[in-house]
Amino acid sequence: MRSLSTYSLLCLLFVASVFSLDTITRAGRYLYNSTDGSRFYIKGVAYQEEGTLGSDAANSLPEPTDFIDPLADAPSCQRDLPNLKTLGVNAVRVYSVNASLNHDACVQSLADAGIYLIIDLSQPVNGSLNRDFPAWTTNLLDLYIENINAFLNYSNVLAFNVGNEVVTSPAETVAAPFIKAAARDIKAYLRSKNSTALVGYSSIDGDQSWRGPLANFLSCDSDADSLDIFGLNNYEYCSTATYSNSGYPSLVQDFTNYNIPFYFSEFGCNVEPRLFTEVASIFGPNMTGVFSGGVAFGYFQATVPGFNLVNISSDGSTATPNSDFNNLQQQFANVTFNNTPSESSAGSTSFPSCPQPNAAFLASTTLPSTPNDELCACVANSSFSCVFTPQTTNTTAIIGELIGIACGLLANQGSNCDVISASGSSGTYGELSFCDPGTQLSWAMTAFYELNGRNPASCSFSGNATINTAGPSSSAAAEAAANSCLAAAPTGTFTPTAASSVPPVTAAATSSTSSSSSGSKNAGFSKSHQPAELIALSVVTIVAALGGFWTVF
């Protein structure tokens, strides 16, 4: 009993230590400390070591293929904590986390040092919104919720970001409805868990013709489907620049009337000498009426030189500050927070009507539905007669191509893939467009198999498909099963829950089943990846309208 009591006491002490920071809330367009009502400014640093970079020959800065969770690396966290304290930061931004790992030790140390967390929910490869073929799907929602759940009990989580630089050009603004839907659903989930964490997004600093409408789009309509905080990754203040010639005055003018908190989610041009004199402007009287601070990039060494603040020894045991670190520390030390306006005079947040599409901003104001795990599992388990059974464990490399092949075959026979397609420009979203890519592929395979009279050769796809002998006995049975799932499941917008434990459909194999089946500097971080699962959807040509869920057969 003594050991149990001692353990319980230690747990209580740990909880008391971790859960000690004041809650930061939003009032009007500013952030405030809920305990004393003072304005809160983000004085932070990007804190994520670069992962392994891919081999994309078309991109000088290819996306990473993995990542290192810095909040799960307790020894490195303890190594870096004295440096973070010396810098005087009150926040770190982390770009990818692993929900299966333990973060207690590092998060406790950061909380004890008064440091809040800004956590990006995305992950490299298949764990982020795709800028070229955007979709808000069950697998992304489930991943985001898993990552949130790993940090729900820590009081020093300031914000969760639903995306980073997803939109980088006017053509990519079609992704905006999916970003906004992600913010809506993540905000609903956080509120259902009584979390005060803010929901944010970080944008690249593009042309104002689409950057401004994007920011406004993500904070329009209502609190329920708007961001709590908008970040801008900005590197235009270089070396010996001044406030007046840096471009900052234009930013202040562009966002003077912005309705939610606004900050630099990355800053720190890598042109030497890296003086960080922009800090005085960011936290000075010219900008604090619009800005709520910023995050300096970045702590660790990266492929692109000139951005790191420390040099890590070859054995990883030491992190030695460089001259850039010293310059930033001196600038941060001179910061005095302006406490106006007071929380009582900040007013409430108003949400204007959403910007309408134009030549530079293509987003529809109609958002996709909340992804529904139960509906996708129900349809998959009750109505699929031909299912994806890959011949490789590297499904990422083949799903996109196979979806393209299946949908192309359907188009050639006068049908289409509307059920699994989504368009952020027209605001049209198929009934299963929010399902994970594997489920979408099985739908397309089933559609082609049924369209061809259940010819076994039509459920082949080079050995990657198998007839589901436990599936529906006929096209009519598949139609009825799918419609039953649609009738029983919630549709539209609802508060999501943790991922369902219902397993996906697997085929009862038989021998006769088939005949033969971004960024400019921090490339180690999760920006807007282009998962192979979705890339080939671009080949789909819509040539006929479906009269019903399965009338493709």
Side-chain angles (χ1 to χ4, degrees), residues 372 374-375 378 481-491:
N372 189 326
E374 288 72 20
L375 172 57
C378 180
N483 286 334
S484 176
C485 293
L486 288 168
T491 57

Side-chain angles (χ1 to χ4, degrees), residues 24 64 67-68 91 99 164 224 294 336 496:
I24 305 303
F67 66 94
I68 301 167
N164 181 58
T336 300

Side-chain angles (χ1 to χ4, degrees), residues 344-418:
S344 60
S345 60
S348 59
T349 305
S350 61
F351 296 92
S353 58
C354 294
Q356 295 301 304
N358 58 43
F361 187 72
L362 309 178
S364 167
T365 57
T366 301
L367 306 184
S369 299
T370 302
N372 189 326
D373 277 297
E374 288 72 20
L375 172 57
C376 295
C378 180
V379 171
N381 286 308
S382 66
S383 67
F384 287 174
S385 56
C386 177
V387 296
F388 176 46
T389 50
Q391 300 299 302
T392 175
T393 57
N394 185 19
T395 58
T396 296
I398 64 173
I399 289 184
E401 180 181 0
L402 288 171
I403 290 178
I405 290 171
C407 290
L409 290 170
L410 287 170
N412 289 338
Q413 294 187 226
S415 188
N416 60 63
C417 277
D418 282 0

Side-chain angles (χ1 to χ4, degrees), residues 102-118:
N102 186 287
H103 303 90
D104 290 346
C106 186
V107 172
Q108 177 183 9
S109 298
L110 293 170
D112 290 345
I115 297 174
Y116 291 86
L117 307 175
I118 300 171

Side-chain angles (χ1 to χ4, degrees), residues 6 111 114 131 138 162 186 277 279 348 387 411 465:
T6 301
R131 65 169 64 100
T138 54
V162 297
I186 293 306
T277 51
V279 168
S348 59
V387 296

Side-chain angles (χ1 to χ4, degrees), residues 4 25 146 170 179 221 231 260 278 317 322 345 359 386 427 448 479 510:
L4 180 60
T25 59
E146 288 172 3
I179 303 171
D221 184 46
I260 63 172
E278 67 262 45
S317 62
N322 58 26
S345 60
C386 177
F448 183 69
E479 174 85 14
T510 69

